[in-house]
Amino acid sequence: MAPIAVAPTSPSPSAPRGGGGNISHSAIVIGAGVVGISTALYLQRGGVATAVIDPLGPAGGASFGNSGMLSPDTATPIALPGMLRKVPGWLADPLGPLAVRPAYFPRALPWLMQWVKAGQLPRVLAISDAMRALHRETMGCWRELLGDGLYHELIRPSGQVHVWEDEAESPSEAVEQQIRARHGIESQVLSTDDLRQMFPGIARDIKRGLLVPGNGYTVSPQRAVQSLAALFRTAGGEIIDERAMKLIPREGGGWMVMTNVANRSAPHVVVAAGAWSAQLLSPLGVRVPLETERGYHAMLFAPGVRPAMPISSKTRAFGITPMEDGVRIAGTVEIAGLDAPPNEQRAKVLVEHARRMFPDLRTQDVRYWMGFRPSTPDSLPILGGVSGRPGLWLAFGHGHFGMSGGPPSGRLLARLITGAAPGIDPAPYEARRF
Ligand SMILES: Cc1cc2nc3c(=O)[nH]c(=O)nc-3n(C[C@H](O)[C@H](O)[C@H](O)COP(=O)(O)OP(=O)(O)OC[C@H]3O[C@@H](n4cnc5c(N)ncnc54)[C@H](O)[C@@H]3O)c2cc1C
Protein backbone atom coordinates (compact mmCIF):
# COMPACT_ATOMS: atom_id res chain seq x y z
CA MET A 1 0.00 0.00 0.00
CA ALA A 2 1.50 3.33 -1.03
CA PRO A 3 2.21 5.81 1.74
CA ILE A 4 -0.11 8.78 1.81
CA ALA A 5 0.34 12.49 1.43
CA VAL A 6 0.57 14.30 4.73
CA ALA A 7 -1.35 17.52 5.29
CA PRO A 8 -0.22 20.36 7.54
CA THR A 9 -0.88 19.90 11.26
CA SER A 10 -2.90 23.08 11.66
CA PRO A 11 -6.32 22.61 13.29
CA SER A 12 -8.86 21.57 10.68
CA PRO A 13 -12.24 23.18 10.32
CA SER A 14 -15.27 20.88 10.38
CA ALA A 15 -16.21 19.48 7.03
CA PRO A 16 -19.35 21.02 5.62
CA ARG A 17 -22.59 19.17 6.37
CA GLY A 18 -24.13 17.54 3.33
CA GLY A 19 -23.03 18.46 -0.17
CA GLY A 20 -20.06 16.86 -1.82
CA GLY A 21 -17.97 16.10 1.23
CA ASN A 22 -15.14 18.54 0.67
CA ILE A 23 -11.79 17.33 1.96
CA SER A 24 -10.76 19.09 5.15
CA HIS A 25 -8.80 16.33 6.88
CA SER A 26 -6.04 14.11 5.60
CA ALA A 27 -7.41 11.14 7.55
CA ILE A 28 -10.71 10.15 9.10
CA VAL A 29 -10.72 7.48 11.78
CA ILE A 30 -14.03 5.71 12.34
CA GLY A 31 -14.36 4.66 15.98
CA ALA A 32 -13.26 6.37 19.20
CA GLY A 33 -12.30 3.28 21.18
CA VAL A 34 -8.76 2.68 22.36
CA VAL A 35 -7.73 1.59 18.87
CA GLY A 36 -9.25 4.52 16.96
CA ILE A 37 -8.13 7.20 19.41
CA SER A 38 -4.59 5.80 19.62
CA THR A 39 -4.38 5.73 15.83
CA ALA A 40 -5.74 9.27 15.55
CA LEU A 41 -3.29 10.61 18.13
CA TYR A 42 -0.30 8.94 16.48
CA LEU A 43 -1.45 10.23 13.08
CA GLN A 44 -1.83 13.72 14.47
CA ARG A 45 1.64 13.60 16.00
CA GLY A 46 2.94 12.37 12.65
CA GLY A 47 1.65 15.54 11.00
CA VAL A 48 -1.61 14.17 9.57
CA ALA A 49 -4.70 16.37 10.12
CA THR A 50 -7.12 13.79 11.49
CA ALA A 51 -10.78 13.61 12.53
CA VAL A 52 -12.49 10.82 14.47
CA ILE A 53 -16.14 9.91 13.93
CA ASP A 54 -18.11 8.07 16.63
CA PRO A 55 -21.70 8.59 17.82
CA LEU A 56 -20.76 7.39 21.32
CA GLY A 57 -17.64 9.52 21.79
CA PRO A 58 -14.39 8.21 23.32
CA ALA A 59 -14.59 4.87 25.18
CA GLY A 60 -18.26 4.18 24.56
CA GLY A 61 -17.67 0.59 23.38
CA ALA A 62 -15.59 -2.32 24.67
CA SER A 63 -12.95 0.21 25.71
CA PHE A 64 -15.26 1.46 28.46
CA GLY A 65 -15.77 -1.65 30.52
CA ASN A 66 -12.87 -4.03 30.04
CA SER A 67 -10.66 -5.41 32.82
CA GLY A 68 -7.99 -2.84 32.13
CA MET A 69 -5.18 -5.39 32.16
CA LEU A 70 -2.15 -4.24 30.19
CA SER A 71 -0.16 -7.26 29.18
CA PRO A 72 3.10 -6.74 27.32
CA ASP A 73 4.13 -10.19 28.59
CA THR A 74 1.03 -11.98 27.36
CA ALA A 75 1.68 -13.68 24.06
CA THR A 76 -0.76 -16.57 24.32
CA PRO A 77 -3.69 -16.70 21.90
CA ILE A 78 -7.15 -17.72 23.11
CA ALA A 79 -7.39 -20.92 21.04
CA LEU A 80 -4.85 -23.45 22.30
CA PRO A 81 -4.21 -27.16 21.77
CA GLY A 82 -6.25 -29.20 24.24
CA MET A 83 -8.88 -26.51 24.59
CA LEU A 84 -11.34 -28.17 22.25
CA ARG A 85 -11.79 -30.96 24.78
CA LYS A 86 -13.02 -28.43 27.35
CA VAL A 87 -15.57 -26.82 25.03
CA PRO A 88 -18.46 -29.34 25.43
CA GLY A 89 -18.26 -29.00 29.23
CA TRP A 90 -18.29 -25.21 28.98
CA LEU A 91 -21.21 -25.20 26.56
CA ALA A 92 -23.25 -27.51 28.79
CA ASP A 93 -23.42 -24.73 31.37
CA PRO A 94 -25.30 -21.66 30.05
CA LEU A 95 -23.51 -19.51 32.65
CA GLY A 96 -20.11 -21.14 32.04
CA PRO A 97 -17.06 -19.30 30.67
CA LEU A 98 -18.15 -19.88 27.05
CA ALA A 99 -21.72 -19.76 25.77
CA VAL A 100 -23.06 -19.83 22.23
CA ARG A 101 -26.69 -18.78 21.86
CA PRO A 102 -28.29 -21.65 19.89
CA ALA A 103 -30.09 -19.38 17.39
CA TYR A 104 -26.78 -17.70 16.55
CA PHE A 105 -24.73 -20.89 16.24
CA PRO A 106 -25.13 -21.36 12.44
CA ARG A 107 -23.87 -17.81 11.80
CA ALA A 108 -20.90 -18.26 14.12
CA LEU A 109 -19.94 -21.72 12.83
CA PRO A 110 -17.44 -20.66 10.10
CA TRP A 111 -15.65 -18.39 12.60
CA LEU A 112 -15.65 -21.13 15.25
CA MET A 113 -14.11 -23.56 12.76
CA GLN A 114 -11.34 -21.07 11.97
CA TRP A 115 -10.85 -20.66 15.73
CA VAL A 116 -10.33 -24.41 16.11
CA LYS A 117 -7.81 -24.40 13.24
CA ALA A 118 -5.90 -21.51 14.84
CA GLY A 119 -5.48 -23.62 17.98
CA GLN A 120 -3.00 -26.07 16.39
CA LEU A 121 0.45 -25.83 17.92
CA PRO A 122 2.58 -24.61 14.96
CA ARG A 123 0.03 -21.88 14.24
CA VAL A 124 -0.21 -21.01 17.95
CA LEU A 125 3.55 -20.42 18.10
CA ALA A 126 3.52 -18.20 15.00
CA ILE A 127 0.57 -16.23 16.42
CA SER A 128 2.36 -15.84 19.73
CA ASP A 129 5.40 -14.36 17.94
CA ALA A 130 3.17 -11.71 16.35
CA MET A 131 1.32 -11.05 19.63
CA ARG A 132 4.61 -10.59 21.40
CA ALA A 133 5.99 -8.25 18.73
CA LEU A 134 2.93 -6.00 19.06
CA HIS A 135 2.26 -6.23 22.80
CA ARG A 136 5.81 -5.82 24.08
CA GLU A 137 5.49 -2.12 23.23
CA THR A 138 2.26 -1.69 25.26
CA MET A 139 3.61 0.24 28.23
CA GLY A 140 6.01 2.31 26.10
CA CYS A 141 3.18 3.33 23.76
CA TRP A 142 0.81 4.23 26.61
CA ARG A 143 3.55 6.36 28.11
CA GLU A 144 4.44 7.94 24.78
CA LEU A 145 0.79 8.84 24.17
CA LEU A 146 -0.20 9.94 27.69
CA GLY A 147 3.04 11.65 28.72
CA ASP A 148 4.72 10.93 32.06
CA GLY A 149 2.20 12.70 34.32
CA LEU A 150 -0.95 10.98 33.05
CA TYR A 151 0.90 7.69 32.65
CA HIS A 152 1.77 7.64 36.35
CA GLU A 153 -1.77 8.66 37.24
CA LEU A 154 -3.49 6.02 35.14
CA ILE A 155 -1.14 3.09 34.58
CA ARG A 156 0.22 0.62 37.15
CA PRO A 157 3.12 -1.61 36.01
CA SER A 158 2.34 -3.84 39.00
CA GLY A 159 2.48 -7.34 37.54
CA GLN A 160 -0.50 -9.67 37.20
CA VAL A 161 -1.26 -12.97 38.88
CA HIS A 162 -2.94 -16.03 37.36
CA VAL A 163 -4.53 -18.48 39.80
CA TRP A 164 -5.89 -22.03 39.68
CA GLU A 165 -8.17 -23.98 41.99
CA ASP A 166 -6.76 -27.38 41.01
CA GLU A 167 -3.30 -28.73 41.70
CA ALA A 168 -2.93 -30.56 38.39
CA GLU A 169 -1.66 -28.69 35.34
CA SER A 170 -3.84 -28.73 32.23
CA PRO A 171 -2.32 -29.40 28.76
CA SER A 172 -2.85 -25.76 27.75
CA GLU A 173 -0.71 -24.61 30.70
CA ALA A 174 2.22 -26.51 29.24
CA VAL A 175 1.77 -24.61 25.98
CA GLU A 176 1.61 -21.32 27.85
CA GLN A 177 4.85 -22.22 29.61
CA GLN A 178 6.42 -23.08 26.26
CA ILE A 179 5.36 -19.67 24.91
CA ARG A 180 6.80 -17.82 27.91
CA ALA A 181 10.10 -19.69 27.49
CA ARG A 182 10.12 -18.96 23.75
CA HIS A 183 9.90 -15.22 24.40
CA GLY A 184 12.00 -15.07 27.56
CA ILE A 185 9.00 -13.86 29.60
CA GLU A 186 9.69 -13.73 33.31
CA SER A 187 7.24 -15.51 35.65
CA GLN A 188 7.22 -16.82 39.18
CA VAL A 189 5.27 -19.79 40.56
CA LEU A 190 3.26 -18.94 43.70
CA SER A 191 2.21 -21.39 46.41
CA THR A 192 -1.00 -21.18 48.47
CA ASP A 193 1.00 -19.45 51.21
CA ASP A 194 2.52 -16.94 48.77
CA LEU A 195 -0.96 -16.13 47.52
CA ARG A 196 -2.32 -15.63 51.04
CA GLN A 197 0.53 -13.25 51.80
CA MET A 198 0.06 -11.26 48.61
CA PHE A 199 -3.73 -11.23 48.79
CA PRO A 200 -4.95 -11.33 52.41
CA GLY A 201 -8.40 -12.91 52.59
CA ILE A 202 -8.03 -15.04 49.47
CA ALA A 203 -9.84 -18.38 49.84
CA ARG A 204 -8.00 -21.65 50.45
CA ASP A 205 -9.71 -23.01 47.31
CA ILE A 206 -7.15 -21.05 45.35
CA LYS A 207 -4.34 -23.56 45.28
CA ARG A 208 -1.60 -22.09 43.13
CA GLY A 209 -0.65 -19.04 41.16
CA LEU A 210 1.78 -17.54 38.70
CA LEU A 211 3.10 -13.98 38.90
CA VAL A 212 3.87 -12.28 35.58
CA PRO A 213 5.77 -9.20 36.79
CA GLY A 214 6.07 -7.50 33.38
CA ASN A 215 2.32 -6.96 33.08
CA GLY A 216 0.15 -4.30 34.72
CA TYR A 217 -3.17 -2.49 34.43
CA THR A 218 -4.93 0.84 34.19
CA VAL A 219 -6.96 2.15 37.11
CA SER A 220 -9.61 3.32 34.61
CA PRO A 221 -9.86 2.10 31.02
CA GLN A 222 -12.49 4.76 30.34
CA ARG A 223 -10.39 7.63 31.68
CA ALA A 224 -7.27 6.31 29.95
CA VAL A 225 -9.00 6.47 26.55
CA GLN A 226 -10.75 9.76 27.35
CA SER A 227 -7.38 11.23 28.34
CA LEU A 228 -5.95 10.27 24.94
CA ALA A 229 -9.01 11.88 23.34
CA ALA A 230 -8.50 15.07 25.36
CA LEU A 231 -4.86 15.25 24.23
CA PHE A 232 -6.01 14.76 20.63
CA ARG A 233 -8.59 17.55 20.92
CA THR A 234 -6.17 19.93 22.67
CA ALA A 235 -3.78 19.53 19.77
CA GLY A 236 -6.53 20.51 17.31
CA GLY A 237 -8.07 17.12 16.54
CA GLU A 238 -11.79 16.86 15.97
CA ILE A 239 -14.06 14.14 17.36
CA ILE A 240 -17.39 14.18 15.56
CA ASP A 241 -20.43 12.52 17.12
CA GLU A 242 -21.87 10.94 14.00
CA ARG A 243 -22.39 7.38 12.82
CA ALA A 244 -20.60 6.27 9.66
CA MET A 245 -23.21 4.62 7.45
CA LYS A 246 -21.25 3.87 4.30
CA LEU A 247 -17.75 4.25 2.87
CA ILE A 248 -17.69 5.38 -0.73
CA PRO A 249 -14.54 5.60 -2.88
CA ARG A 250 -14.21 9.04 -4.48
CA GLU A 251 -13.50 9.47 -8.12
CA GLY A 252 -9.88 10.51 -8.42
CA GLY A 253 -8.90 9.05 -5.04
CA GLY A 254 -9.77 9.23 -1.37
CA TRP A 255 -12.93 8.28 0.45
CA MET A 256 -16.25 9.79 1.36
CA VAL A 257 -17.77 8.74 4.66
CA MET A 258 -21.52 9.06 4.49
CA THR A 259 -22.68 9.60 8.07
CA ASN A 260 -26.16 9.90 9.54
CA VAL A 261 -26.04 13.66 8.97
CA ALA A 262 -23.17 14.59 6.64
CA ASN A 263 -20.70 13.54 3.96
CA ARG A 264 -17.09 13.73 5.09
CA SER A 265 -14.11 13.06 2.88
CA ALA A 266 -10.41 12.44 3.27
CA PRO A 267 -7.60 10.78 1.33
CA HIS A 268 -7.35 8.16 4.09
CA VAL A 269 -10.02 6.41 6.10
CA VAL A 270 -9.20 4.10 9.01
CA VAL A 271 -11.90 1.64 10.03
CA ALA A 272 -11.45 1.22 13.80
CA ALA A 273 -15.08 0.55 14.65
CA GLY A 274 -14.39 -2.45 16.88
CA ALA A 275 -16.94 -5.25 16.58
CA TRP A 276 -18.97 -3.19 14.06
CA SER A 277 -16.11 -2.88 11.56
CA ALA A 278 -17.17 -5.77 9.31
CA GLN A 279 -20.57 -4.15 8.69
CA LEU A 280 -18.88 -1.10 7.19
CA LEU A 281 -16.60 -3.19 5.00
CA SER A 282 -18.91 -5.80 3.55
CA PRO A 283 -20.65 -3.41 1.07
CA LEU A 284 -17.16 -2.84 -0.38
CA GLY A 285 -16.69 -6.57 -0.84
CA VAL A 286 -14.06 -6.63 1.93
CA ARG A 287 -14.82 -9.75 4.00
CA VAL A 288 -13.11 -10.32 7.33
CA PRO A 289 -13.72 -13.07 9.88
CA LEU A 290 -14.80 -10.79 12.72
CA GLU A 291 -17.10 -12.13 15.42
CA THR A 292 -18.01 -10.55 18.68
CA GLU A 293 -17.12 -12.36 21.89
CA ARG A 294 -19.48 -10.56 24.22
CA GLY A 295 -18.04 -10.09 27.69
CA TYR A 296 -19.48 -8.83 30.96
CA HIS A 297 -18.37 -6.96 34.02
CA ALA A 298 -19.65 -6.37 37.51
CA MET A 299 -18.22 -3.18 38.97
CA LEU A 300 -18.20 -3.16 42.77
CA PHE A 301 -17.99 0.38 44.10
CA ALA A 302 -17.57 -0.50 47.80
CA PRO A 303 -15.91 -3.93 47.70
CA GLY A 304 -14.20 -3.87 51.10
CA VAL A 305 -11.41 -5.96 49.53
CA ARG A 306 -8.79 -4.62 47.17
CA PRO A 307 -6.20 -6.93 45.61
CA ALA A 308 -2.84 -5.26 45.08
CA MET A 309 -2.80 -6.19 41.39
CA PRO A 310 -5.09 -7.88 38.84
CA ILE A 311 -5.85 -11.56 39.40
CA SER A 312 -7.04 -13.86 36.60
CA SER A 313 -8.75 -17.09 37.57
CA LYS A 314 -7.70 -19.63 34.97
CA THR A 315 -10.13 -22.13 36.47
CA ARG A 316 -13.25 -19.98 36.12
CA ALA A 317 -12.07 -17.65 33.33
CA PHE A 318 -12.62 -14.27 34.94
CA GLY A 319 -10.46 -11.47 36.28
CA ILE A 320 -10.50 -9.07 39.23
CA THR A 321 -8.87 -5.68 38.75
CA PRO A 322 -8.44 -2.95 41.39
CA MET A 323 -9.65 0.30 39.85
CA GLU A 324 -9.85 3.91 40.99
CA ASP A 325 -13.57 3.65 41.69
CA GLY A 326 -13.71 0.12 43.12
CA VAL A 327 -13.00 -3.40 41.98
CA ARG A 328 -13.96 -4.74 38.54
CA ILE A 329 -14.83 -8.40 38.00
CA ALA A 330 -14.91 -9.18 34.30
CA GLY A 331 -14.80 -11.99 31.81
CA THR A 332 -16.84 -14.70 30.09
CA VAL A 333 -17.35 -15.19 26.38
CA GLU A 334 -20.81 -15.22 24.86
CA ILE A 335 -21.20 -15.78 21.13
CA ALA A 336 -24.54 -14.19 20.30
CA GLY A 337 -23.84 -11.45 17.75
CA LEU A 338 -24.34 -7.71 17.95
CA ASP A 339 -28.11 -7.56 18.38
CA ALA A 340 -29.19 -9.99 21.12
CA PRO A 341 -29.93 -8.31 24.47
CA PRO A 342 -27.46 -8.83 27.32
CA ASN A 343 -27.91 -11.77 29.67
CA GLU A 344 -27.22 -10.08 33.00
CA GLN A 345 -27.05 -13.50 34.68
CA ARG A 346 -23.62 -13.88 33.11
CA ALA A 347 -22.47 -10.77 34.97
CA LYS A 348 -24.08 -11.92 38.22
CA VAL A 349 -22.26 -15.23 38.07
CA LEU A 350 -18.98 -13.30 37.94
CA VAL A 351 -19.83 -11.83 41.33
CA GLU A 352 -20.38 -15.34 42.72
CA HIS A 353 -17.01 -16.45 41.34
CA ALA A 354 -15.29 -13.44 42.91
CA ARG A 355 -16.95 -14.03 46.28
CA ARG A 356 -15.75 -17.60 46.17
CA MET A 357 -12.22 -16.23 45.71
CA PHE A 358 -12.61 -13.46 48.33
CA PRO A 359 -15.35 -14.49 50.80
CA ASP A 360 -15.27 -11.03 52.48
CA LEU A 361 -16.07 -9.20 49.25
CA ARG A 362 -18.99 -6.77 49.61
CA THR A 363 -21.17 -6.89 46.55
CA GLN A 364 -24.18 -4.64 47.23
CA ASP A 365 -23.09 -1.56 45.31
CA VAL A 366 -22.73 -3.00 41.83
CA ARG A 367 -23.07 -2.07 38.14
CA TYR A 368 -23.50 -4.77 35.50
CA TRP A 369 -22.18 -4.14 31.99
CA MET A 370 -21.81 -5.95 28.69
CA GLY A 371 -19.41 -5.12 25.87
CA PHE A 372 -18.51 -6.45 22.43
CA ARG A 373 -14.98 -7.77 22.02
CA PRO A 374 -14.03 -7.46 18.34
CA SER A 375 -12.51 -10.89 17.78
CA THR A 376 -10.69 -12.68 15.00
CA PRO A 377 -10.31 -16.47 15.12
CA ASP A 378 -6.52 -16.27 15.58
CA SER A 379 -6.46 -13.63 18.38
CA LEU A 380 -4.45 -11.24 16.18
CA PRO A 381 -5.88 -7.88 15.14
CA ILE A 382 -6.40 -6.93 11.50
CA LEU A 383 -4.09 -4.00 10.75
CA GLY A 384 -3.03 -2.43 7.48
CA GLY A 385 -4.26 -1.52 4.03
CA VAL A 386 -6.59 -3.34 1.65
CA SER A 387 -5.26 -4.42 -1.71
CA GLY A 388 -6.97 -2.58 -4.55
CA ARG A 389 -8.46 -0.01 -2.16
CA PRO A 390 -5.86 2.72 -1.73
CA GLY A 391 -6.47 4.95 1.28
CA LEU A 392 -8.62 2.38 3.10
CA TRP A 393 -7.02 1.14 6.33
CA LEU A 394 -8.13 -1.50 8.83
CA ALA A 395 -7.52 -1.37 12.59
CA PHE A 396 -9.76 -3.74 14.53
CA GLY A 397 -10.06 -7.29 15.81
CA HIS A 398 -8.15 -6.93 19.09
CA GLY A 399 -10.46 -9.36 20.88
CA HIS A 400 -9.37 -9.91 24.49
CA PHE A 401 -6.28 -7.72 24.20
CA GLY A 402 -7.28 -4.30 22.84
CA MET A 403 -6.23 -2.23 25.85
CA SER A 404 -2.77 -3.77 25.43
CA GLY A 405 -2.66 -3.89 21.64
CA GLY A 406 -4.51 -0.62 20.91
CA PRO A 407 -1.69 1.91 21.34
CA PRO A 408 0.98 -0.17 19.56
CA SER A 409 -1.52 -0.83 16.75
CA GLY A 410 -2.19 2.89 16.46
CA ARG A 411 1.52 3.52 16.14
CA LEU A 412 1.93 0.83 13.49
CA LEU A 413 -1.03 2.14 11.49
CA ALA A 414 0.18 5.74 11.63
CA ARG A 415 3.62 4.65 10.46
CA LEU A 416 2.16 2.66 7.57
CA ILE A 417 -0.08 5.56 6.56
CA THR A 418 2.70 8.15 6.63
CA GLY A 419 5.22 5.83 5.01
CA ALA A 420 7.50 5.76 8.07
CA ALA A 421 9.45 2.62 8.97
CA PRO A 422 6.87 0.36 10.68
CA GLY A 423 9.20 -0.80 13.47
CA ILE A 424 7.74 -4.32 13.42
CA ASP A 425 6.88 -6.63 10.56
CA PRO A 426 3.28 -5.73 9.64
CA ALA A 427 2.64 -8.91 7.60
CA PRO A 428 1.17 -11.11 10.39
CA TYR A 429 -1.66 -8.62 10.99
CA GLU A 430 -2.72 -8.12 7.36
CA ALA A 431 -6.29 -9.02 6.41
CA ARG A 432 -5.07 -11.23 3.57
CA ARG A 433 -3.88 -13.92 6.01
CA PHE A 434 -7.49 -15.17 6.04
C1 LIG B 1 -15.31 -8.01 29.56
C2 LIG B 1 -14.10 -7.57 28.79
C3 LIG B 1 -12.87 -7.56 29.42
C4 LIG B 1 -11.73 -7.17 28.71
N1 LIG B 1 -10.54 -7.09 29.35
C5 LIG B 1 -9.43 -6.65 28.69
C6 LIG B 1 -8.20 -6.49 29.37
O1 LIG B 1 -8.11 -6.70 30.58
N2 LIG B 1 -7.11 -6.10 28.66
C7 LIG B 1 -7.18 -5.84 27.31
O2 LIG B 1 -6.15 -5.52 26.72
N3 LIG B 1 -8.35 -5.94 26.65
C8 LIG B 1 -9.47 -6.33 27.30
N4 LIG B 1 -10.67 -6.44 26.65
C9 LIG B 1 -10.70 -6.18 25.21
C10 LIG B 1 -10.74 -4.70 24.89
O3 LIG B 1 -11.72 -4.04 25.66
C11 LIG B 1 -11.05 -4.53 23.40
O4 LIG B 1 -10.21 -5.32 22.61
C12 LIG B 1 -10.86 -3.08 22.97
O5 LIG B 1 -11.59 -2.22 23.82
C13 LIG B 1 -11.32 -2.89 21.54
O6 LIG B 1 -11.16 -1.53 21.23
P1 LIG B 1 -11.73 -0.94 19.89
O7 LIG B 1 -11.34 0.47 19.85
O8 LIG B 1 -11.36 -1.82 18.75
O9 LIG B 1 -13.33 -1.15 20.04
P2 LIG B 1 -14.40 -0.35 20.92
O10 LIG B 1 -13.85 0.12 22.20
O11 LIG B 1 -15.62 -1.21 20.97
O12 LIG B 1 -14.69 0.94 20.06
C14 LIG B 1 -15.31 0.88 18.80
C15 LIG B 1 -16.02 2.19 18.60
O13 LIG B 1 -16.50 2.23 17.25
C16 LIG B 1 -17.70 2.95 17.27
N5 LIG B 1 -18.46 2.64 16.07
C17 LIG B 1 -19.05 1.46 15.74
N6 LIG B 1 -19.69 1.58 14.57
C18 LIG B 1 -19.49 2.86 14.17
C19 LIG B 1 -19.92 3.59 13.02
N7 LIG B 1 -20.67 3.01 12.08
N8 LIG B 1 -19.56 4.88 12.91
C20 LIG B 1 -18.79 5.48 13.85
N9 LIG B 1 -18.36 4.83 14.96
C21 LIG B 1 -18.71 3.54 15.11
C22 LIG B 1 -18.40 2.48 18.53
O14 LIG B 1 -19.38 3.44 18.94
C23 LIG B 1 -17.23 2.37 19.50
O15 LIG B 1 -17.07 3.53 20.28
C24 LIG B 1 -11.83 -6.82 27.33
C25 LIG B 1 -13.08 -6.80 26.72
C26 LIG B 1 -14.22 -7.15 27.45
C27 LIG B 1 -15.57 -7.09 26.77
Side-chain angles (χ1 to χ4, degrees):
M1 182 64 52
I4 359 140
V6 173
T9 27
S10 58
S12 323
S14 289
R17 307 229 156 200
N22 295 345
I23 292 189
S24 62
H25 297 98
S26 294
I28 292 174
V29 175
I30 300 173
V34 64
V35 177
I37 292 288
S38 299
T39 305
L41 198 47
Y42 271 117
L43 279 170
Q44 184 187 58
R45 290 186 185 172
V48 182
T50 302
V52 178
I53 295 179
D54 192 324
L56 301 182
S63 303
F64 170 85
N66 58 71
S67 298
M69 296 189 202
L70 305 179
S71 309
D73 281 358
T74 296
T76 306
I78 299 298
L80 291 175
M83 207 165 252
L84 205 53
R85 263 176 277 147
K86 294 186 188 168
V87 171
W90 286 339
L91 292 180
D93 175 2
L95 297 181
L98 170 67
V100 184
R101 289 217 190 157
Y104 192 76
F105 184 74
R107 275 187 67 183
L109 189 59
W111 185 93
L112 289 167
M113 287 170 69
Q114 281 178 288
W115 186 88
V116 170
K117 211 167 132 200
Q120 291 163 4
L121 190 60
R123 183 75 190 115
V124 163
L125 296 178
I127 293 167
S128 94
D129 292 348
M131 284 180 80
R132 176 71 171 154
L134 191 70
H135 289 178
R136 69 184 314 155
E137 300 295 330
T138 297
M139 296 302 194
C141 287
W142 273 107
R143 191 171 195 144
E144 191 168 67
L145 286 177
L146 287 169
D148 283 353
L150 280 168
Y151 178 85
H152 290 306
E153 194 182 313
L154 287 160
I155 309 291
R156 300 282 180 274
S158 57
Q160 290 169 8
V161 164
H162 301 173
V163 297
W164 290 263
E165 290 173 32
D166 33 11
E167 301 280 9
E169 274 196 9
S170 70
S172 55
E173 276 179 71
V175 179
E176 290 188 50
Q177 177 50 42
Q178 185 181 348
I179 287 172
R180 281 193 294 276
R182 181 181 178 91
H183 299 298
I185 291 171
E186 198 188 327
S187 65
Q188 190 187 324
V189 173
L190 302 172
S191 66
T192 316
D193 287 345
D194 295 332
L195 287 167
R196 289 175 72 77
Q197 263 184 20
M198 287 175 78
F199 305 109
I202 198 167
R204 290 202 169 272
D205 287 358
I206 309 299
K207 297 285 190 313
R208 59 194 175 90
L210 188 84
L211 171 68
V212 184
N215 286 341
Y217 68 104
T218 170
V219 294
S220 172
Q222 179 191 25
R223 204 155 69 79
V225 176
Q226 288 177 344
S227 299
L228 300 183
L231 291 166
F232 175 69
R233 280 198 182 103
T234 304
E238 199 183 357
I239 301 179
I240 303 166
D241 58 346
E242 293 171 12
R243 176 174 300 283
M245 311 283 285
K246 193 169 182 190
L247 309 182
I248 301 164
R250 282 168 64 104
E251 258 177 54
W255 290 85
M256 183 174 89
V257 181
M258 197 177 154
T259 79
N260 54 320
V261 293
N263 297 165
R264 299 185 178 277
S265 297
H268 300 279
V269 169
V270 180
V271 178
W276 297 270
S277 299
Q279 292 176 347
L280 284 168
L281 294 167
S282 75
L284 295 167
V286 178
R287 310 250 177 251
V288 285
L290 187 72
E291 190 43 77
T292 178
E293 295 181 79
R294 296 145 56 110
Y296 290 79
H297 88 209
M299 185 74 209
L300 303 180
F301 295 100
V305 169
R306 189 178 170 82
M309 65 182 76
I311 305 176
S312 295
S313 164
K314 304 297 267 187
T315 305
R316 294 181 194 272
F318 75 101
I320 302 186
T321 310
M323 292 205 172
E324 63 185 4
D325 48 358
V327 158
R328 183 166 293 176
I329 308 157
T332 96
V333 169
E334 181 185 42
I335 310 278
L338 292 166
D339 299 322
N343 175 1
E344 71 285 0
Q345 295 305 328
R346 295 188 68 75
K348 289 182 178 170
V349 92
L350 292 172
V351 177
E352 286 170 31
H353 290 337
R355 209 164 24 196
R356 188 188 281 253
M357 187 185 288
F358 287 104
D360 295 336
L361 200 63
R362 283 195 242 119
T363 60
Q364 292 83 346
D365 193 359
V366 60
R367 174 188 67 213
Y368 300 118
W369 172 90
M370 186 198 75
F372 299 92
R373 294 186 191 91
S375 299
T376 61
D378 62 5
S379 301
L380 289 176
I382 296 176
L383 306 172
V386 181
S387 78
R389 298 282 188 185
L392 178 64
W393 302 89
L394 312 182
F396 54 82
H398 293 74
H400 294 246
F401 308 107
M403 287 304 286
S404 309
S409 298
R411 186 166 76 176
L412 177 62
L413 250 287
R415 285 173 173 173
L416 292 173
I417 291 172
T418 57
I424 59 171
D425 178 10
Y429 319 102
E430 288 173 356
R432 66 176 155 201
R433 72 184 184 272
F434 294 110

